[in-house]
Amino acid sequence: MFKADAQQDQHSRIYRALNPQQLWYESRRDKEEQEEEKQAVVLRGMAVGDEDDWESLGGMRSQFVAPVQEDDEDDEEEEEDVDPTNLPDFGELQAEMDELRSRRAAAADEHRKKLRQQFEEQRQKELAEMEAELARIAEKEAEIQANLETRVTEDDVRECQQRLEKEMADCFKFTW
């Protein structure tokens, strides 16, 4: 689809690494704005030192460093000003790009359907596991309820104690 220029193939890897090509389209207007934004900083006789050193030079700081001019315009305003006549034209490649876009959309739809199906399968599996767990819980509750019905009450314990006392009294009667 996009082929490298023959001229670029003639250069060595080092040359291409030191002179990279842009990866995006840059309009004429963008190029002009970048050239306007370029600022040269001129340093003459620059020395490293403290503020005291600058004062000892008699406050001649402005002679050593040229001030950098800052752009006061907001970048947000520039983004809003899009010139529709300056948009890139892909010409012959537009049809191929539209075809690739439709292929990606179809692949994304297939992937989305596959993920939906996997989600539904996982959901059905989790529901089956949950129902099995609920059935086990219901069985345990029924078992506990049955044990409660056959549970020994306090009256049963008193009756058993009285019977035991009688039997013990009969067993431990010693005569000498």
Side-chain angles (χ1 to χ4, degrees):
M1 181 171 98
F2 298 102
K3 296 181 180 177
D5 295 332
Q7 184 181 16
Q8 186 178 1
D9 292 336
Q10 294 174 357
H11 295 295
S12 68
R13 289 185 197 170
I14 295 172
Y15 177 86
R16 287 189 303 232
L18 295 175
N19 300 298
Q21 298 294 319
Q22 286 189 334
L23 299 176
W24 60 89
Y25 175 79
E26 187 176 35
S27 67
R28 176 183 39 80
R29 182 178 180 189
D30 293 337
K31 288 179 186 176
E32 290 172 359
E33 288 177 2
Q34 283 183 356
E35 287 179 13
E36 289 175 3
E37 291 177 4
K38 288 183 182 176
Q39 300 172 356
V41 177
V42 180
L43 301 177
R44 288 180 268 149
M46 183 66 192
V48 178
D50 297 335
E51 288 293 324
D52 297 333
D53 294 338
W54 288 109
E55 290 175 10
S56 67
L57 293 173
M60 299 187 311
R61 184 177 195 161
S62 61
Q63 289 182 352
F64 291 96
V65 180
V68 177
Q69 298 174 355
E70 294 185 16
D71 189 14
D72 293 335
E73 296 179 20
D74 293 333
D75 292 335
E76 295 173 7
E77 293 177 7
E78 292 177 7
E79 292 175 3
E80 293 174 3
D81 298 334
V82 176
D83 186 11
T85 60
N86 198 22
L87 294 177
D89 181 25
F90 294 108
E92 299 169 358
L93 298 176
Q94 187 65 39
E96 187 175 350
M97 291 174 68
D98 291 339
E99 181 183 340
L100 290 173
R101 185 177 296 125
S102 65
R103 284 186 201 167
R104 283 193 305 271
D109 287 340
E110 288 178 26
H111 183 67
R112 196 174 300 118
K113 288 177 184 177
K114 182 180 176 183
L115 290 177
R116 172 62 77 183
Q117 182 181 7
Q118 288 176 351
F119 171 75
E120 291 297 329
E121 290 173 359
Q122 182 70 23
R123 185 172 168 220
Q124 293 297 326
K125 182 180 175 183
E126 289 174 357
L127 286 174
E129 290 175 359
M130 190 182 312
E131 287 181 14
E133 184 68 24
L134 288 173
R136 284 192 294 266
I137 290 172
E139 288 175 9
K140 286 182 180 181
E141 286 179 352
E143 190 177 307
I144 291 171
Q145 189 65 27
N147 286 341
L148 286 176
E149 292 172 0
T150 61
R151 192 170 160 183
V152 179
T153 63
E154 290 183 25
D155 293 335
D156 294 337
V157 171
R158 278 189 219 120
E159 183 183 321
C160 186
Q161 285 177 344
Q162 288 172 357
R163 213 173 352 139
L164 184 63
E165 286 176 6
K166 269 189 197 178
E167 289 179 9
M168 294 298 280
D170 291 342
C171 289
F172 290 110
K173 289 185 181 175
F174 295 111
T175 53
W176 300 90

